[in-house]
Amino acid sequence: MFNFFDRNCNCRPCVPHRITVVGPTGATGPAGPVGATGPTGASITATVSSTTTLPPGSPASVTVTQTGGVASFAFAIPQGATGATGATGPTGPTGPTGSTGITGPTGPTGATGPTGPAGGATGVTGPTGPTGATGPTGPTGATGDTGPTGATGPTGPTGATGPTGPIGASITGATGPTGPTGASITGATGPTGPTGATGPTGPTGPTGPTGATGATGATGDTGDTGPTGPTGATGPTGPTGPTGPTGATTTFSVAATNTLDPGNDASVTGTQSGSTFELTFGIPRGATGATGDTGPTGATGATGETGPTGATGATGATGAGLGAYGGLYNNATQTPTIATANTFVALELNTAMPLLNTNDATNALTVDEAGDYEISYNVDLTGTAEQTYQVAARINTTNIPQSVTQNTSTVTTTGGGTWNASFTNSCIVALSASDSIDLAITTTVAPSGTTTVQANGSCMLTVKKLND
């Protein structure tokens, strides 16, 4: 842009030209500083929201829903297919031998032979032998093979990898200011010399030489500094700041895959420890296949020949009786002295019954042989007051638990006077040789009144050996 102003006058020669020149574009500013490190990527927390059991043959699926830093997994797992039907069972065994054919007709009676001489006296008829044991029952046919177990359902898919954390922000530094443009000053043009006077017109002579150039005028004042040039172009973008540290990676692993019984629901449980997430799958096994068809019945065996009649067996020995037994009873009434409740007092048994491999001790029986014995007793008593009694058989004065009986006496005469009670027991115990068996009685509360045990069969003890 040109700015004209007067200096001394308005004549053209006296007007210097002040030129305002815009400076050149400033140099490009330096690169901005390196951007700040980006923030750490967010961690992911994994959870199992649901596990659904699908029908056999359905495709398995895993649905992941992420809200912020929480990823929820929904599993859908098909149940194993039903096992194939078992193979047909083997052919059954050959059927039993057919029954013996019918007896042929009786032949004709032969001629009567001559009567033989009379023999000695007829011998005593031997005892009838014991009946032979019944033969064992034939074996049951083998059960058909069980069908094969259904194939295990497929393992569920591996969970999806969590997303990568975001990249750190990139910040470009501000462009530095453009330096000032250097001053550009053009000196003013000097004044033109004065024109000489015009001479008379002479003949036209040859063209004279060109006059010398007038001296250069004095340099004008320095012009004002031009305005600052426009802002230089924006400097290049500073380098990208270093990538922020990678967010924590969640590692998925399968801790166990358990096969469940048919009919159970599939299950998935997850356990997270830090950045490790372990999954435990429970997948139901397919139902057992149907039992295979029963094999065809084997052919009927040929009818066997009738065997010859066996010889008559020897007469069996007469069966033996009990190996040991014995019994005692008291032939008179007795009044046992019961001083303290729950303290047993021996009963008198003064008369022996037949004894075999047992012995009559004082109010007791001892056995000569070890074995399993049946012990039985009967006691009938009367009292002058109501009482609850206990009676027991004892081995070497120690009660046999299963022989203890308890009963409360009941009144037999209206208005009081007599109370009755009866005790009967039979049990089986193992005895050692020389063990001693007796009877004892007590009351469950402090005794009162008089107790009378009746005689003979009303106070009786027996033992019988059943086995060695």
Side-chain angles (χ1 to χ4, degrees):
M1 181 175 83
F2 296 94
N3 183 15
F4 299 96
F5 61 92
D6 294 335
R7 183 171 182 182
N8 296 313
C9 64
N10 292 324
C11 67
R12 180 82 178 195
C14 295
V15 181
H17 298 11
R18 177 172 292 179
I19 302 173
T20 300
V21 181
V22 177
T25 301
T28 300
V34 177
T37 301
T40 301
S43 298
I44 298 296
T45 299
T47 62
V48 176
S49 61
S50 65
T51 304
T52 304
T53 303
L54 304 178
S58 302
S61 66
V62 180
T63 302
V64 182
T65 302
Q66 184 168 355
T67 302
V70 178
S72 296
F73 292 80
F75 293 84
I77 302 174
Q79 185 179 24
T82 301
T85 301
T88 302
T91 301
T94 301
T97 302
S99 58
T100 304
I102 60 174
T103 304
T106 304
T109 303
T112 303
T115 301
T122 303
V124 178
T125 303
T128 303
T131 303
T134 302
T137 303
T140 303
T143 303
D145 294 336
T146 303
T149 302
T152 302
T155 302
T158 303
T161 302
T164 303
I167 297 174
S170 175
I171 302 174
T172 302
T175 303
T178 303
T181 303
S184 176
I185 304 172
T186 303
T189 303
T192 304
T195 304
T198 305
T201 305
T204 302
T207 301
T210 302
T213 301
T216 302
T219 301
D221 297 334
T222 302
D224 296 331
T225 302
T228 301
T231 301
T234 301
T237 302
T240 302
T243 303
T246 303
T249 301
T250 300
T251 301
F252 292 85
S253 64
V254 177
T257 302
N258 301 317
T259 301
L260 308 179
D261 290 334
N264 287 330
D265 290 335
S267 64
V268 180
T269 56
T271 302
Q272 184 163 2
S273 176
S275 62
T276 299
F277 193 75
E278 290 189 335
L279 298 169
T280 299
F281 293 83
I283 302 175
R285 184 176 59 246
T288 302
T291 303
D293 297 332
T294 303
T297 303
T300 303
T303 303
E305 296 180 357
T306 303
T309 303
T312 302
T315 302
T318 303
L322 295 174
Y325 56 82
L328 296 175
Y329 67 94
N330 203 57
N331 62 6
T333 59
Q334 56 183 301
T335 54
T337 302
I338 305 172
T340 306
N342 298 313
T343 300
F344 282 85
V345 176
L347 292 174
E348 294 181 11
L349 299 167
N350 61 9
T351 305
M353 302 178 193
L355 306 173
L356 176 64
N357 291 323
T358 58
N359 298 291
D360 174 14
T362 302
N363 299 322
L365 287 170
T366 59
V367 297
D368 295 340
E369 302 173 348
D372 295 334
Y373 285 78
E374 179 184 50
I375 300 176
S376 303
Y377 66 78
N378 183 69
V379 174
D380 298 319
L381 58 80
T382 60
T384 59
E386 182 180 18
Q387 294 281 336
T388 297
Y389 297 92
Q390 287 184 342
V391 175
R394 304 190 298 182
I395 301 175
N396 303 326
T397 70
T398 299
N399 289 348
I400 302 171
Q402 62 267 39
S403 76
V404 178
T405 55
Q406 178 173 304
N407 203 351
T408 300
S409 58
T410 57
V411 66
T412 58
T413 303
T414 303
T418 303
W419 279 262
N420 291 347
S422 295
F423 305 85
T424 300
N425 183 270
S426 181
C427 62
I428 297 174
V429 296
L431 298 179
S432 301
S434 300
D435 276 348
S436 177
I437 314 301
D438 68 352
L439 281 179
I441 188 171
T442 190
T443 58
T444 59
V445 296
S448 62
T450 301
T451 298
T452 301
V453 178
Q454 303 304 307
N456 300 320
S458 293
C459 185
M460 177 178 63
L461 171 68
T462 60
V463 297
K464 301 174 185 176
K465 185 179 181 183
L466 304 177
N467 197 8
D468 291 335

